[in-house]
């Protein structure tokens, strides 16, 4: 169950990644950040995989719900 859900579809693109990183940092170990995005968040996945030590890349999940709605779970170890 996600601890925090962020719908970033209305957030200006330059503000999205910093907002996501901040929310992820606020999580406790074992919690998950769920983001709702308007495009495939693959660049964010690669960024987290390379830069965020506590990101559990093996349990990352993304689901496309509509043409402009992607829901991704970013778990924290």
């Amino acid at each position: 169950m996600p601890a925090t859900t962020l719908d970033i579809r209305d957030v200006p693109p330059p503000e999205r990644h910093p907002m996501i990183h901040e929310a992820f940092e606020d999580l406790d170990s074992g919690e998950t950040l769920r983001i709702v995005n308007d495009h495939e968040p693959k660049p964010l996945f690669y960024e987290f995989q390379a830069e965020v030590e506590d990101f559990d890349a093996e349990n990352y999940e993304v689901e496309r719900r509509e043409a402009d709605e992607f829901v991704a779970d970013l778990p924290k170890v």
Side-chain angles (χ1 to χ4, degrees), residues 1-6 8 16-17 19-25 27-37 41-49 52 54-63 70-77:
M1 182 67 82
T4 302
T5 299
L6 291 178
I8 59 170
R16 292 179 179 191
H17 284 212
M19 178 185 289
I20 294 166
H21 279 273
E22 184 176 321
F24 188 83
E25 287 176 18
L27 296 177
D28 290 329
S29 179
E31 293 183 325
T32 297
L33 175 63
R34 173 168 286 169
I35 61 165
V36 181
N37 203 356
K42 203 59 150 174
L44 179 67
F45 169 80
Y46 291 130
E47 179 179 316
F48 263 68
Q49 189 177 37
V52 181
D54 292 337
F55 174 55
D56 181 4
E58 290 186 20
N59 288 304
Y60 167 85
E61 294 181 3
V62 64
E63 175 187 356
F70 291 80
V71 178
D73 288 342
L74 290 83
K76 187 171 188 175
V77 292

